Amino acid sequence: MELFSYMENYDYEQVVVCQDKLSGLKAIIAIHDTTLGPALGGTRMWMYDTEEDAFEDALRLAKGMTYKNAAAGLNLGGGKTVIIGDPRKDKNEEMFRAFGRYIQGLNGRYITAEDVGTTVQDMDTIYEETDYVTGISPAFGSSGNPSPITAYGVYVGMKAAAKEAFGTDDLAGKTIAVQGVGNVAYNLCKHLHQEGASLIVTDINKESVQRAVADFNAKAVDVNDIYGVECDIFAPCALGAIINDKTIPQFKAKVIAGAANNQLKEERHGSLIHEIGIVYAPDYVINAGGVINVADELNGYNSERALKKVEGIYQNIEKVIDISKRDQIPTFKAADRMAEERIERMRRSRRQFLQNGQHILSRRR
């Protein structure tokens, strides 16, 4: 991998490689863009096959956070960390303390949070060394479990997509197929059930399915059958890459809106569902409730304020749909365009500010 060429092609700002021999820390902090503010993105711990794979994952995820934060309306840029190691056996206090010191050394350019392979307890350990961490324990003034508020964001975003497809955002009487019934999806089902929607659910975890059936009178189907069920809305809340050549011909839903990341297997699949008239709520826009919530911690967490910001996901989905119509492009491309336009507006504003400042200085001379 030619690192500088990759960074130049995709306009990355900084990559920091961290190691601590005593604790076994091997970490890569990727900062993609700080035009809107300091880079916010979680720390992932994973057993990568090669160091190159780890670099590529950090860079890819950091860019994704730039778009997610920008589309969410946050004054934050995008970054991400990967720690190379097995999260089940390689963790120790010294590792995360050392990592915290590296974050502190960036002096606020990067703020971390929990991600795959890391926990609230890991964030608490990092907090021992730096203030530039979110998602810590509520005892330290944090927001706690992000699942309920992430689910609420998906719920309001789904209503916005439904309004485009059905002419109303009322979900009462709608049939919604939910793929995966983990923590986020369970809370989503709760909102949908309370509004009067009928639920069809599936999950590889049979206990999760039984819980949804008991609590929400949901209908259970096999994991392979969920794509083709008769429904109004399909909500992918588990696996990525589930919108693909095999599943698209099966879809009967008018709307796809769910919490899962990276739902499109390839970009062309986003174009395909657009062509057949499915309203797609881009994943990183609709599932941004978690990052909106932890970002509120940077101002001293206030749950009512955070919830109000998450409600803005409804308007964000509306904006994506408007751009899709305006530019005659699929919604997944419209989401990128919305994020890019916001970043570019800030770049122009800053350039103008600097030019005005230089003009004033030249006049004084």
Side-chain angles (χ1 to χ4, degrees):
M1 178 183 183
E2 295 182 0
L3 182 58
F4 281 108
S5 296
Y6 189 101
M7 290 177 67
E8 185 176 4
N9 286 341
Y10 297 100
D11 202 19
Y12 286 81
E13 294 181 8
Q14 187 176 8
V15 175
V16 180
V17 181
C18 318
Q19 79 85 26
D20 180 70
K21 187 175 181 180
L22 179 64
S23 65
L25 173 71
K26 293 180 180 179
I28 301 157
I29 303 171
I31 298 174
H32 176 248
D33 189 287
T34 58
T35 301
L36 296 175
L40 172 67
T43 293
R44 175 170 298 191
M45 188 169 185
W46 195 255
M47 279 294 294
Y48 293 94
D49 292 334
T50 66
E51 292 179 2
E52 183 174 345
D53 288 345
F55 270 99
E56 287 185 357
D57 203 27
L59 290 163
R60 177 182 61 84
L61 293 167
K63 184 180 178 184
M65 288 306 301
T66 294
Y67 281 77
K68 187 167 193 168
N69 293 338
L74 299 174
N75 296 320
L76 293 164
K80 206 80 170 183
T81 295
V82 299
I83 295 176
I84 301 172
D86 187 337
R88 295 167 297 181
K89 63 181 183 180
D90 292 337
K91 289 183 181 180
N92 57 69
E93 179 186 0
E94 295 83 359
M95 172 182 288
F96 287 100
R97 293 286 292 266
F99 178 54
R101 291 192 291 272
Y102 278 110
I103 294 174
Q104 183 66 18
L106 290 171
N107 200 31
R109 276 180 55 77
Y110 170 67
I111 303 160
T112 198
E114 183 183 347
D115 202 283
V116 175
T118 60
T119 66
V120 172
Q121 290 70 34
D122 298 329
M123 298 305 110
D124 287 349
T125 305
I126 292 170
Y127 185 59
E128 295 288 332
E129 299 289 345
T130 182
D131 291 330
Y132 302 120
V133 54
T134 60
I136 53 180
S137 297
F140 296 118
S142 176
S143 55
N145 180 7
S147 296
I149 202 157
T150 301
Y152 183 67
V154 175
Y155 167 66
V156 298
M158 181 184 291
K159 287 174 71 68
K163 184 179 179 181
E164 174 64 18
F166 308 115
T168 175
D169 66 5
D170 187 359
L171 300 179
K174 294 289 188 291
T175 299
I176 302 170
V178 182
Q179 182 191 37
V181 205
N183 290 333
V184 172
Y186 178 84
N187 284 280
L188 172 63
C189 288
K190 186 185 295 183
H191 289 295
L192 299 173
H193 177 68
Q194 288 171 348
E195 188 165 340
S198 298
L199 299 173
I200 302 171
V201 300
T202 195
D203 198 295
I204 57 173
N205 186 324
K206 300 304 179 186
E207 290 181 1
S208 296
V209 172
Q210 291 166 3
R211 183 185 182 199
V213 169
D215 293 354
F216 309 125
N217 196 29
K219 176 185 175 182
V221 298
D222 184 79
V223 291
N224 296 314
D225 296 336
I226 193 72
Y227 305 105
V229 298
E230 292 285 350
C231 64
D232 300 295
I233 299 170
F234 177 67
C237 297
L239 305 171
I242 56 86
I243 301 175
N244 55 55
D245 290 331
K246 184 178 178 181
T247 60
I248 289 174
Q250 300 180 56
F251 289 136
K252 295 180 175 65
K254 300 289 187 184
V255 173
I256 297 178
N261 289 312
N262 305 314
Q263 294 170 21
L264 301 174
K265 185 172 184 181
E266 299 174 28
E267 287 195 354
R268 64 183 180 86
H269 295 124
S271 299
L272 280 172
I273 58 173
H274 178 74
E275 289 168 7
I276 62 178
I278 295 175
V279 177
Y280 171 58
D283 45 33
Y284 72 79
V285 180
I286 197 172
N287 69 14
V291 71
I292 294 171
N293 191 49
V294 297
D296 192 76
E297 295 177 21
L298 302 174
N299 301 310
Y301 185 68
N302 180 290
S303 58
E304 291 183 6
R305 181 179 62 204
L307 197 65
K308 191 68 178 175
K309 291 177 181 176
V310 170
E311 287 175 355
I313 289 175
Y314 187 106
Q315 286 74 35
N316 290 341
I317 294 296
E318 286 188 315
K319 289 176 188 174
V320 167
I321 291 169
D322 287 344
I323 293 170
S324 173
K325 292 176 177 177
R326 181 195 74 189
D327 298 347
Q328 297 184 323
I329 55 176
T331 52
F332 79 95
K333 289 185 177 179
D336 288 354
R337 192 159 294 179
M338 180 175 74
E340 289 162 356
E341 286 177 355
R342 182 166 181 250
I343 293 168
E344 184 54 35
R345 286 195 301 271
M346 181 56 70
R347 282 181 179 149
R348 288 199 303 266
S349 174
R350 288 186 174 181
R351 281 197 297 266
Q352 186 63 47
F353 178 79
L354 291 171
Q355 288 170 0
N356 290 343
Q358 290 170 350
H359 178 65
I360 291 169
L361 284 172
S362 64
R363 288 184 62 185
R364 286 178 176 174
R365 290 192 186 107

